[in-house]
Amino acid sequence: MALWNDPDLWDQLCSGEACPICLRSEPLDVVATLEASWVTMQEAAPIRGYVCLVSRTHAVELHDLPPSAAAGFMRDACKVSEAIAVATQAVKINYEIHGNSIPHLHMHFFPRYRGDRFEGLPIDPKLTVQPIYSPGEFEEIRDALVLALKTKTPLGG
Ligand SMILES: [Zn+2]
């Protein structure tokens, strides 16, 4: 059942009052803090190199962000996209924004690979078989991503 079917809980999640991210002051598994967002990664991921970018401003929809925060969030998204490309050699990156369970703006980044198990389809995290990383591989990709975030400038600038 979708959380929005409980109007009181949904209002509290949307206002930030019961938002699990805001209550902790930041999301879990932060690997870098950018201008307008936190970069998060976890070893139990749907696909190798998966990143979730979480807005540092509580907002439900993109259009709820003040214009400067929205521009900052998109700048961060471009920076993360480029860093994932460097760290994973993905053939394509997929981007998704849902917020149906935690209505605090966040963007999923799914690197795609030739022959990945979802080829021709979107990623379905429910069909992921763990572990997706070989021993040490998560740390290697995470460190390469963090290094790329520190050294690369977005949009080829
Ligand atoms: Zn929040």
Side-chain angles (χ1 to χ4, degrees):
M1 184 176 101
L3 287 174
W4 56 61
N5 289 320
D6 180 337
D8 291 337
L9 175 59
W10 186 247
D11 286 349
Q12 290 172 7
L13 288 168
C14 290
S15 72
E17 187 186 333
C19 172
I21 293 168
C22 292
L23 290 174
R24 293 187 76 255
S25 303
E26 65 176 35
L28 299 170
D29 307 312
V30 174
V31 299
T33 301
L34 302 179
E35 174 189 354
S37 57
W38 292 287
V39 181
T40 70
M41 284 184 88
Q42 54 191 206
E43 192 158 4
I47 196 162
R48 194 165 57 83
Y50 165 81
V51 167
C52 184
L53 186 69
V54 182
S55 171
R56 290 169 59 192
T57 301
H58 180 88
V60 178
E61 307 295 354
L62 273 173
H63 63 259
D64 293 333
L65 281 176
S68 62
F73 187 74
M74 290 314 292
R75 276 193 294 273
D76 290 351
C78 291
K79 201 171 180 184
V80 167
S81 180
E82 187 174 19
I84 290 171
V86 168
T88 67
Q89 291 85 46
V91 62
K92 177 71 185 78
I93 300 170
N94 292 177
Y95 314 89
E96 295 183 19
I97 295 178
H98 303 273
N100 302 324
S101 300
I102 300 181
H104 177 126
L105 184 64
H106 56 281
M107 182 185 289
H108 304 274
F109 294 72
F110 299 100
R112 303 302 303 263
Y113 307 97
R114 288 189 181 90
D116 74 44
R117 63 173 290 162
F118 301 103
E119 203 167 286
L121 301 166
I123 300 286
D124 184 348
K126 289 185 222 78
L127 299 180
T128 302
V129 179
Q130 298 295 334
I132 56 141
Y133 289 103
S134 56
E137 190 183 27
F138 171 73
E139 291 78 7
E140 201 174 288
I141 290 176
R142 180 198 62 203
D143 293 353
L145 180 110
V146 170
L147 181 65
L149 284 171
K150 286 181 184 160
T151 55
K152 291 294 229 177
T153 51
L155 306 175

